[in-house]
Coordinates of all heavy atoms in Angstrom, one line a residue:
E1240 N -5.7 -22.3 -30.1 CA -5.9 -23.4 -31.0 C -5.6 -24.7 -30.3 O -6.4 -25.7 -30.4 CB -4.9 -23.3 -32.2 CG -5.1 -22.1 -33.1 CD -6.3 -22.1 -34.0 OE1 -7.0 -23.2 -34.0 OE2 -6.5 -21.2 -34.8
A1243 N -8.4 -25.5 -27.8 CA -9.7 -25.9 -28.5 C -9.5 -27.3 -29.0 O -10.4 -28.2 -28.9 CB -10.0 -25.0 -29.6
D1244 N -8.4 -27.6 -29.6 CA -8.1 -29.0 -30.2 C -8.1 -30.0 -29.1 O -8.7 -31.1 -29.2 CB -6.8 -29.0 -30.9 CG -6.6 -30.3 -31.6 OD1 -7.4 -30.7 -32.5 OD2 -5.6 -31.0 -31.3
L1247 N -11.7 -30.8 -28.1 CA -12.4 -31.6 -29.1 C -12.0 -33.0 -29.0 O -12.8 -33.9 -29.1 CB -12.2 -31.0 -30.5 CG -12.9 -29.6 -30.8 CD1 -12.4 -29.1 -32.1 CD2 -14.4 -29.8 -30.8
Q1248 N -10.7 -33.2 -28.8 CA -10.2 -34.6 -28.8 C -10.7 -35.3 -27.5 O -11.0 -36.5 -27.5 CB -8.7 -34.6 -28.8 CG -8.1 -34.2 -30.2 CD -6.7 -34.5 -30.3 OE1 -6.2 -35.6 -30.0 NE2 -5.9 -33.6 -30.7
H1252 N -14.6 -35.6 -30.8 CA -15.2 -35.0 -32.0 C -14.2 -35.1 -33.1 O -13.0 -34.6 -33.0 CB -15.6 -33.6 -31.8 CG -16.2 -32.9 -33.0 ND1 -17.4 -33.3 -33.5 CD2 -15.7 -31.9 -33.8 CE1 -17.7 -32.5 -34.6 NE2 -16.6 -31.7 -34.8
G1253 N -14.6 -35.6 -34.3 CA -13.7 -35.8 -35.4 C -13.8 -34.6 -36.4 O -13.0 -33.7 -36.4
A1254 N -14.7 -34.7 -37.3 CA -14.9 -33.6 -38.3 C -16.3 -33.3 -38.5 O -17.2 -33.9 -37.9 CB -14.3 -34.2 -39.6
G1255 N -16.6 -32.2 -39.3 CA -17.9 -31.8 -39.6 C -18.5 -30.8 -38.6 O -17.8 -30.4 -37.6
P1256 N -19.7 -30.3 -38.8 CA -20.3 -29.3 -38.0 C -20.4 -29.8 -36.5 O -20.6 -30.9 -36.2 CB -21.7 -29.1 -38.6 CG -21.5 -29.5 -40.0 CD -20.6 -30.6 -40.0
L1257 N -20.3 -28.8 -35.6 CA -20.5 -29.1 -34.2 C -21.9 -29.1 -33.8 O -22.6 -28.1 -33.9 CB -19.7 -28.0 -33.4 CG -19.0 -28.4 -32.1 CD1 -18.0 -29.4 -32.3 CD2 -18.4 -27.1 -31.5
F1341 N -11.8 -18.7 -29.4 CA -11.9 -20.0 -28.9 C -13.1 -20.7 -29.5 O -13.1 -21.9 -29.9 CB -11.9 -20.0 -27.4 CG -12.2 -21.3 -26.7 CD1 -11.1 -22.2 -26.6 CD2 -13.4 -21.7 -26.3 CE1 -11.3 -23.5 -26.0 CE2 -13.6 -22.9 -25.7 CZ -12.6 -23.8 -25.5
A1342 N -14.2 -20.0 -29.5 CA -15.5 -20.6 -30.0 C -15.3 -20.9 -31.5 O -15.7 -22.0 -32.0 CB -16.6 -19.6 -29.8
A1343 N -14.7 -20.0 -32.3 CA -14.5 -20.3 -33.7 C -13.6 -21.4 -33.9 O -13.8 -22.2 -34.9 CB -14.0 -19.0 -34.4
A1344 N -12.5 -21.6 -33.1 CA -11.6 -22.7 -33.2 C -12.2 -24.0 -32.9 O -11.8 -25.1 -33.4 CB -10.4 -22.4 -32.3
L1345 N -13.3 -24.0 -32.1 CA -14.0 -25.2 -31.9 C -15.0 -25.6 -33.0 O -15.1 -26.7 -33.4 CB -14.9 -25.1 -30.6 CG -14.1 -25.2 -29.3 CD1 -15.0 -24.8 -28.1 CD2 -13.5 -26.6 -29.0
M1346 N -15.6 -24.5 -33.6 CA -16.6 -24.8 -34.6 C -15.9 -25.0 -36.0 O -16.5 -25.8 -36.8 CB -17.5 -23.5 -34.7 CG -18.3 -23.3 -33.5 SD -19.4 -21.9 -33.5 CE -20.7 -22.5 -34.6
V1347 N -14.8 -24.4 -36.2 CA -14.0 -24.6 -37.4 C -12.6 -25.1 -37.0 O -11.7 -24.2 -37.0 CB -14.0 -23.4 -38.3 CG1 -13.3 -23.7 -39.6 CG2 -15.4 -22.9 -38.5
P1348 N -12.4 -26.3 -36.6 CA -11.1 -26.8 -36.1 C -9.9 -26.6 -37.0 O -10.0 -26.9 -38.2 CB -11.3 -28.2 -35.7 CG -12.8 -28.4 -35.7 CD -13.4 -27.4 -36.7
E1349 N -8.8 -26.1 -36.5 CA -7.6 -26.0 -37.3 C -7.2 -27.3 -37.9 O -6.8 -27.4 -39.1 CB -6.5 -25.5 -36.4 CG -5.1 -25.3 -37.1 CD -4.1 -24.8 -36.1 OE1 -4.1 -25.2 -34.9 OE2 -3.2 -24.0 -36.5
R1350 N -7.3 -28.4 -37.2 CA -6.9 -29.7 -37.6 C -7.5 -30.2 -38.9 O -6.9 -30.8 -39.7 CB -7.1 -30.7 -36.5 CG -6.7 -32.1 -36.7 CD -6.6 -32.9 -35.4 NE -7.6 -32.5 -34.5 CZ -8.8 -33.1 -34.3 NH1 -9.1 -34.1 -35.1 NH2 -9.7 -32.7 -33.4
T1351 N -8.8 -29.8 -39.1 CA -9.4 -30.2 -40.4 C -9.6 -29.1 -41.4 O -9.7 -29.3 -42.6 CB -10.8 -30.8 -40.0 OG1 -11.6 -29.8 -39.3 CG2 -10.7 -32.0 -39.2
A1352 N -9.7 -27.8 -40.9 CA -9.9 -26.7 -41.8 C -8.6 -26.4 -42.6 O -8.7 -26.0 -43.8 CB -10.3 -25.4 -41.0
V1353 N -7.4 -26.5 -42.0 CA -6.2 -26.2 -42.8 C -6.0 -27.1 -44.0 O -5.8 -26.6 -45.1 CB -5.0 -26.2 -41.8 CG1 -3.7 -26.1 -42.7 CG2 -5.0 -25.1 -40.8
P1354 N -6.2 -28.4 -43.9 CA -6.1 -29.3 -45.1 C -7.1 -28.9 -46.1 O -6.9 -28.9 -47.3 CB -6.3 -30.7 -44.5 CG -5.9 -30.6 -43.1 CD -6.3 -29.3 -42.6
L1355 N -8.4 -28.5 -45.7 CA -9.4 -28.1 -46.6 C -9.0 -26.9 -47.4 O -9.1 -26.8 -48.6 CB -10.7 -27.9 -45.8 CG -11.9 -27.3 -46.7 CD1 -12.4 -28.3 -47.7 CD2 -13.0 -26.9 -45.7
L1356 N -8.5 -25.9 -46.6 CA -8.0 -24.7 -47.3 C -6.8 -24.9 -48.2 O -6.7 -24.3 -49.3 CB -7.7 -23.6 -46.2 CG -8.9 -23.1 -45.4 CD1 -8.5 -22.2 -44.3 CD2 -9.9 -22.3 -46.4
L1370 N -15.8 -22.8 -46.2 CA -15.7 -22.9 -44.8 C -17.0 -22.8 -44.1 O -17.4 -23.6 -43.2 CB -14.7 -21.9 -44.1 CG -13.2 -22.1 -44.1 CD1 -12.5 -21.0 -43.4 CD2 -12.9 -23.5 -43.5
A1373 N -19.0 -26.1 -45.0 CA -18.5 -27.3 -44.5 C -18.7 -27.4 -43.0 O -18.9 -28.6 -42.5 CB -17.0 -27.4 -44.8
Y1374 N -18.8 -26.3 -42.3 CA -18.9 -26.4 -40.8 C -20.2 -25.8 -40.3 O -20.4 -25.7 -39.1 CB -17.7 -25.7 -40.2 CG -16.4 -26.4 -40.5 CD1 -15.6 -26.0 -41.5 CD2 -16.0 -27.5 -39.7 CE1 -14.4 -26.6 -41.8 CE2 -14.8 -28.1 -39.9 CZ -14.0 -27.7 -41.0 OH -12.8 -28.3 -41.3
V1376 N -21.5 -22.7 -40.3 CA -21.3 -21.6 -39.4 C -21.8 -20.3 -40.2 O -22.1 -20.4 -41.4 CB -19.8 -21.4 -39.0 CG1 -19.4 -22.5 -38.1 CG2 -18.9 -21.3 -40.2
R1384 N -12.6 -16.9 -39.2 CA -11.7 -18.1 -39.1 C -10.7 -18.1 -40.3 O -9.6 -18.5 -40.1 CB -12.6 -19.3 -39.2 CG -11.9 -20.5 -38.6 CD -11.6 -20.4 -37.1 NE -10.9 -21.6 -36.6 CZ -9.7 -21.6 -36.1 NH1 -9.0 -20.5 -35.9 NH2 -9.1 -22.7 -35.6
L1388 N -6.3 -18.3 -40.1 CA -5.5 -19.4 -40.6 C -4.8 -19.0 -41.9 O -3.8 -19.6 -42.2 CB -6.4 -20.6 -40.9 CG -7.2 -21.1 -39.7 CD1 -8.1 -22.2 -40.1 CD2 -6.3 -21.6 -38.6
H1392 N -0.9 -20.3 -42.2 CA -0.9 -21.6 -42.9 C -0.8 -21.6 -44.4 O -0.4 -22.5 -45.0 CB -2.0 -22.5 -42.4 CG -2.0 -22.9 -41.0 ND1 -1.1 -23.8 -40.5 CD2 -2.7 -22.5 -39.9 CE1 -1.3 -24.0 -39.2 NE2 -2.3 -23.2 -38.8

Side-chain angles (χ1 to χ4, degrees):
E1240 299 283 359
D1244 185 61
L1247 288 173
Q1248 292 193 48
H1252 180 69
L1257 215 57
F1341 176 79
L1345 287 171
M1346 297 178 74
V1347 185
E1349 178 182 35
R1350 181 162 33 93
T1351 56
V1353 170
L1355 175 68
L1356 292 172
L1370 276 185
Y1374 296 95
V1376 295
R1384 199 67 180 120
L1388 304 173
H1392 292 290

